[in-house]
Amino acid sequence: AVRRARPRSARRGASRCATARVRASGPDAKAPEPSADGSPKSPATVHLVGAGPGGLDNLTVKALRLLRQCDAVVYDDLGGGEADILAEVRQGAERVSVGKRGGDKRSWRQEDINATLVRLSLEGKTVVRLKGGCPSVFSRAREEMADLKTNKVPYELVPGVSSALAAPLAAGTTLSDKVFGKHFVVASAHDCDALDFSSAFSGVDTCVFLMAGKSLPTLCERLIRDSKKSERTPVLLVRWACTDREEIFAGTLGTIVLVTAGRKLSPCVFVIGEVCAEAVAERTFV
């Protein structure tokens, strides 16, 4: 009897989601160190993995499987639920915390994170680079990808649940509606001066801003003045979405600054648009 191999897509653990596996190359790439028997040691794969907005409940099955198999995990500040996630890492695996917070001089520099990923791979260690949310959204994954390519390190992109999508649901709303939510835009509020409020957000039904905690007053002012949004536009602000530290603030573009006065807001997601109206009407200050 002839045993037929199953197609790759049908094998156990295969995913229909086409995650990118890249064998990197570049003129400045470092040669891998030789193994114990003198033969070249192949660099191990670095998996750039989204951890979701927080906790095991929002981790994908694939992310969990990789954490349980990896030789090293390089992880961001994952906030609520971090301990539960790290408890799933294989015993004996190397752990490197590279969490960054704006303005903290002790934060890791991105180039040092990149170098750490390359070093671990060239040591023959399979690495999970665990990022909050999804690697596709404001995670600086492209800088890490570039360094991995230059050093001939293979990598894989593994999607996660972005807080831009999860936070509105946590607050009781969706980003779209067939009548008054036909489109939405997601932006970083880290540098408001870099945003063109007069064109980027004017006419867009739903606006979502990440990293909005420190710039909330400026955001509201610019959306009203330059994007021509009404002061009565309903808004929701979600801090630590989907964690046990979650806080939800409701109001309008004209009132949310007053509603949140004196409160620490980072990290948060700020949602603006008529899709918020029902959730805002059901809430008072929380």
Side-chain angles (χ1 to χ4, degrees):
V2 178
R3 183 178 180 181
R4 297 182 181 273
R6 288 182 292 172
R8 181 176 299 273
S9 62
R11 293 176 191 168
R12 183 179 180 182
S15 172
R16 291 180 179 270
C17 180
T19 51
R21 289 179 176 84
V22 179
R23 177 69 63 175
S25 61
D28 301 323
K30 300 176 183 177
E33 297 178 1
S35 60
D37 62 4
S39 60
K41 183 187 294 185
S42 298
T45 300
V46 174
H47 304 273
L48 306 177
V49 179
L56 279 176
D57 288 347
N58 295 295
L59 203 65
T60 67
V61 173
K62 182 166 185 176
L64 187 60
R65 175 167 56 82
L66 289 171
L67 285 172
R68 290 171 173 172
Q69 296 174 348
C70 69
D71 300 309
V73 57
V74 178
Y75 59 96
D76 288 341
D77 180 355
L78 302 176
E82 179 177 292
D84 290 339
I85 293 175
L86 294 179
E88 298 294 331
V89 177
R90 181 179 67 80
Q91 188 173 6
E94 184 173 346
R95 303 182 183 194
V96 183
S97 173
V98 296
K100 294 186 288 186
R101 284 295 174 202
D104 189 342
K105 295 182 179 179
R106 297 169 297 176
S107 292
W108 278 62
R109 298 184 305 166
Q110 186 61 47
E111 53 265 38
D112 294 332
I113 296 175
N114 299 351
T116 298
L117 297 177
V118 171
R119 173 182 62 80
L120 290 169
S121 170
L122 296 182
E123 290 174 358
K125 297 176 180 177
T126 300
V127 181
V128 166
R129 170 66 176 105
L130 196 59
K131 296 173 166 291
C134 183
S136 66
V137 183
F138 303 128
S139 73
R140 303 190 70 172
R142 293 191 68 86
E143 295 167 62
E144 295 171 2
M145 292 159 59
D147 260 28
L148 295 172
K149 284 183 181 180
T150 297
N151 289 278
K152 294 186 176 179
V153 172
Y155 65 85
E156 177 186 21
L157 296 169
V158 181
V161 180
S162 171
S163 61
L165 305 179
L169 296 177
T173 192
T174 62
L175 293 181
S176 62
D177 180 271
K178 67 179 183 179
V179 177
F180 45 79
K182 295 181 179 179
H183 28 65
F184 66 86
V185 62
V186 178
S188 166
H190 179 69
D191 182 6
C192 288
D193 291 336
L195 300 175
D196 185 352
F197 284 85
S198 60
S199 62
F201 312 111
S202 179
V204 176
D205 287 347
T206 309
C207 300
V208 182
F209 291 93
L210 307 186
M211 296 171 273
K214 294 182 179 180
S215 58
L216 184 61
T218 300
L219 278 175
C220 293
E221 178 186 350
R222 297 289 301 276
L223 286 168
I224 293 170
R225 186 188 72 200
D226 301 332
S227 303
K228 308 305 180 184
K229 303 283 186 187
S230 169
E231 292 186 5
R232 296 186 296 276
T233 304
V235 303
L236 292 163
L237 188 145
V238 188
R239 181 174 185 249
W240 287 115
C242 304
T243 73
D244 57 5
R245 301 164 67 181
E246 180 180 280
E247 292 182 279
I248 300 171
F249 304 89
T252 67
L253 268 180
T255 65
I256 193 65
V257 172
L258 181 61
V259 167
T260 58
R263 304 297 294 265
K264 184 174 182 180
L265 300 178
S266 297
C268 72
V269 176
F270 186 37
V271 187
I272 304 101
E274 291 301 323
V275 293
C276 300
E278 186 174 351
V280 169
E282 292 174 352
R283 286 183 175 274
T284 55
F285 176 70
V286 178

